[in-house]
Amino acid sequence: MDRDATSDVNAPHSMGTTIIGVTYNGGVILGADSRTSTGLYVANRASDKITQLTDNVYICRSGSAADSQIVSDYVRYFLHQHTIQLGQPATVKVAANLVRLLAYNNKNSLQTGIIVGGWDKYEGGKIYGIPLGGTIVEQPFAIGGSGSSYLYGFFDQAWKDGMTREEAEQLVVKAVSLAIARDGASGGVVRTVTINSEGVTRNFYPGDTLPLWHDEVEAHGSLLDILNASNPEPMST
Amino acid sequence: MSSIGTGYDLSVTTFSPDGRVFQIEYAAKAVDNSGTVVGIKCKDGIVIGVEKLIASKMMLPGSNRRIHSVHRHSGMGVAGLAADGRQIVARAKSEAHNYESTYGEPIPIKELADRVASYVHLCTLYWWLRPFGSGVILGGYDRDGPQLYMVEPSGVSYRYFGAAIGKGRQAAKTEIEKLKLSELTCRQGVIEVAKIIYGVHDEAKDKTFELEMSWVCDESNRLHQKVPEALLEEAKAAARAALEEMDAD
C-alpha cells in the first residue's frame, strides 16, 4: 500500500517528460520540460533534460533517467575520441548514429527515447529522433516523451518549414507548455537550447511565464500577498 | 642512396648505427622496381593510372588488376609485390566498412589514409612480421572534396596533388609538375596520365604493358570506377600520338 510504485520514493527515476527538437532556417532548437518523477512524487521539478554531447551537438533525454544518462555519457566519450581522431568537430549524423547503436544493441535493457539535435558545417541544422527500440529517423522536427502524445495534432497544424529563429522558439515553448497542461508526468519550467553556426544559446522560461490554456487557473503567490492588498477579501479572485 | 647494411639489415627490429632500418628500405626497393603508378588530383576529382607490365602473352587482358575500389568513393593503385598489395586493399576495405557501420557515414579519405598507413607501419614493428613490399596511391572523393594520398612501405603517408611510384616515378613526377592541375578536369586528366605512363615506359628494358586507369570525380557521380572504355581508348590514342611526335623530333 505504502510501498507501491505510486508512492515509493525509492522507485526508479523516470522522466515522464515532454521533449521537442525542431529545425529552423539556420539551425535547430531543442526544448524540454523539467519534471523528473519517481512514481507520483516529483523527485526533481527543475531538471535539465537537454544534455551536451559536444560543442555543436545536444540531446533531449526521456524515459528512464539512469538509462538516458548512461547512454549520453558513453556517446559523449566516443564522440570526444572521434573528434580527436578526425581533427574536426563531429557531425550531428555521427552523434545520432552512435546513440542509435547503443539504443539498438541494448534494446532489451534500456528504456529511453532520445532526440539528437545540432549544427555542423556540412549539413547545417539537423534533428534525429531515436525512439525506444533504436530506430533512427532524420526529421525536420521530432517530439518525444509521455507529453508528446498531446502534441501530434498540434504540430500537424502549427509546423511550417523554414521558420525564423523567433518563430521556432515560440513554437517550441508553446508546444511544451501545452503538453505540460495535459500530461501529469510533465511540468516545471521550459528549457530551450538553440544551436546554429554562431554557437549555442540556452533559454529558460519559468512556469509562471507560460501561457494559460483552457480551464487553467492563474498561479498565486503566497496568501499573505492578499492581506497586503487594499481589499483583503479571501477567495475573492 | 644505396648502401649495404651488412649486419644491421637482418631484422626489421634492428637499427643501423646511423639510425636507419634497412629492412624497410629494402621493402621500398620492391616498390621501386615495379611498374609505374601515377595519381593526380584535378579540380573535380582524382585520376589513377598504372603501367601494368605483362609477364606473359598468355594472360587475359584486364586480368591481374592493379587498381582496386576500396569503397564507393575511393580506390587504390598498387605497386610492388602484388600479393602484399592485395592485403593492404583488403584491410582498407575492411576499415572503410567498419567505419561506416559504426559512424553511419562514408569514411573520410584522410581517416582512411591514416588507418591504412597505421596498418602498414604496424607490420614494421615486429620481428615476426615482414614489412609490406608494396606502396599504394589512394584517391577518393568525400565531403571535403577530392583527395590523393600515398602510403609507402615504411608506413609514411602524405597528401599529394600528384604522386608517382615504381620504375618511372622520377620521370613521371617531372611530367606531373608541368601540369596545371587546378585547371584540369578529370576528362583532361585522364589523357594526361595516359601520356605520362606511355612516356615513362621503357620499351627497351621492359616487356609490353597494359594501361589501367580509374577515376573518381563529379562526372562519375563521385563513385570510384574504371575510366569508361571510350575515354580510355581516346587517352591511349592521344598517348601513342604524343610518343610518335617525340620520336619524330
Side-chain angles (χ1 to χ4, degrees):
Chain A
M1 283 153 302
D2 243 29
R3 283 250 140 215
D4 64 15
T6 54
S7 52
D8 180 9
V9 298
N10 293 318
H13 285 40
S14 154
M15 296 173 305
T17 300
T18 307
I19 49 172
I20 299 179
V22 313
T23 56
Y24 72 91
N25 181 18
V28 299
I29 304 191
L30 301 176
D33 74 305
S34 69
R35 178 171 290 183
T36 305
S37 32
T38 45
L40 287 180
Y41 174 67
V42 176
N44 187 348
R45 62 187 168 102
S47 33
D48 183 6
K49 302 180 187 180
I50 308 179
T51 302
Q52 182 183 28
L53 294 186
T54 68
D55 287 343
N56 58 318
V57 179
Y58 280 66
I59 60 168
C60 295
R61 302 177 291 111
S62 76
S64 153
D67 288 354
S68 65
Q69 281 171 12
I70 218 67
V71 167
S72 97
D73 285 348
Y74 269 115
V75 177
R76 189 182 302 124
Y77 168 63
F78 293 139
L79 275 178
H80 183 217
Q81 294 189 316
H82 181 68
T83 302
I84 292 172
Q85 179 75 11
L86 236 52
Q88 58 183 33
T91 57
V92 189
K93 185 194 260 194
V94 163
N97 254 286
L98 291 175
V99 172
R100 181 263 300 200
L101 283 177
L102 282 172
Y104 177 75
N105 289 323
N106 297 292
K107 59 162 73 196
N108 292 328
S109 323
L110 293 175
Q111 198 174 68
T112 170
I114 290 173
I115 296 179
V116 180
W119 185 96
D120 61 60
K121 71 181 187 204
Y122 299 104
E123 301 275 346
K126 286 285 177 193
I127 293 285
Y128 293 85
I130 303 161
L132 256 47
T135 23
I136 177 170
V137 187
E138 199 248 296
Q139 301 169 295
F141 70 89
I143 54 178
S146 56
S148 68
S149 315
Y150 309 102
L151 296 177
Y152 284 95
F154 172 71
F155 269 90
D156 280 346
Q157 193 250 5
W159 165 260
K160 324 189 292 262
D161 213 4
M163 288 184 284
T164 65
R165 179 185 173 158
E166 290 69 31
E167 285 176 326
E169 180 105 3
Q170 275 160 32
L171 179 70
V172 168
V173 174
K174 183 173 178 182
V176 179
S177 93
L178 279 168
I180 286 175
R182 288 291 181 181
D183 178 31
S186 298
V189 306
V190 178
R191 296 189 196 274
T192 66
V193 171
T194 307
I195 311 170
N196 52 33
S197 59
E198 279 141 42
V200 177
T201 315
R202 265 195 181 273
N203 275 316
F204 167 78
Y205 300 84
D208 56 0
T209 61
L210 300 174
L212 290 173
W213 304 111
H214 174 59
D215 268 2
E216 283 191 306
V217 183
E218 282 238 6
H220 284 297
S222 156
L223 279 173
L224 292 171
D225 293 339
I226 310 180
L227 291 173
N228 287 338
S230 53
N231 186 16
E233 205 63 40
M235 308 286 225
S236 61
T237 32
Chain B
M1 203 180 54
S2 284
S3 56
I4 321 175
T6 322
Y8 302 109
D9 60 348
L10 295 177
S11 161
V12 78
T13 53
T14 305
F15 279 96
S16 75
D18 51 349
R20 295 155 69 175
V21 182
F22 281 100
Q23 279 296 309
I24 297 180
E25 296 188 20
Y26 296 161
K29 291 260 193 307
V31 179
D32 292 344
N33 292 335
S34 103
T36 315
V37 178
V38 166
I40 56 171
K41 171 173 122 73
C42 306
K43 68 178 178 192
D44 63 337
I46 303 286
V47 179
I48 301 177
V50 175
E51 173 203 14
K52 191 166 70 181
L53 298 168
I54 302 176
S56 148
K57 290 207 173 82
M58 286 287 131
M59 279 192 199
L60 200 65
S63 67
N64 293 93
R65 290 194 61 78
R66 298 273 298 279
I67 304 182
H68 302 88
S69 279
V70 169
H71 201 53
R72 290 183 299 277
H73 63 4
S74 52
M76 264 183 189
V78 169
L81 301 177
D84 286 17
R86 195 167 49 238
Q87 281 305 99
I88 298 180
V89 171
R91 179 72 184 208
K93 287 179 178 172
S94 166
E95 293 283 0
H97 179 81
N98 285 336
Y99 183 97
E100 183 151 353
S101 296
T102 306
Y103 297 104
E105 56 168 21
I107 185 168
I109 309 299
K110 174 173 184 290
E111 181 67 16
L112 179 60
D114 276 349
R115 292 192 182 198
V116 170
S118 295
Y119 180 61
V120 170
H121 177 237
L122 184 82
C123 301
T124 67
L125 293 172
Y126 303 102
W127 60 264
W128 66 79
L129 285 176
R130 65 164 174 79
F132 280 103
S134 45
V136 301
I137 291 187
L138 163 66
Y141 201 144
D142 66 17
R143 67 195 176 187
D144 292 312
Q147 290 153 71
L148 185 71
Y149 290 87
M150 179 164 87
V151 183
E152 300 169 24
S154 57
V156 141
S157 156
Y158 289 116
R159 188 172 163 188
Y160 291 91
F161 293 108
I165 43 181
K167 282 194 184 69
R169 70 189 174 288
Q170 296 289 49
K173 279 186 215 167
T174 318
E175 290 304 307
I176 294 173
E177 279 167 27
K178 292 182 190 161
L179 299 171
K180 287 218 179 79
L181 292 171
S182 55
E183 291 166 22
L184 279 179
T185 62
C186 276
R187 273 218 153 234
Q188 298 163 321
V190 166
I191 314 278
E192 294 303 327
V193 167
K195 285 189 196 162
I196 293 174
I197 296 205
Y198 270 77
V200 306
H201 177 67
D202 191 338
E203 281 296 337
K205 284 205 202 135
D206 294 322
K207 321 137 198 174
T208 48
F209 79 102
E210 193 188 316
L211 175 67
E212 204 181 306
M213 288 220 279
S214 76
W215 66 358
V216 52
C217 56
D218 290 335
E219 205 180 311
S220 73
N221 259 318
R222 304 198 183 182
L223 297 173
H224 180 256
Q225 51 182 222
K226 279 167 31 172
V227 165
E229 244 343 282
L231 182 58
L232 187 61
E233 288 310 312
E234 194 189 317
K236 285 183 188 172
R240 274 182 227 117
L243 262 187
E244 277 165 25
E245 235 185 80
M246 276 193 337
D247 287 343
D249 288 339

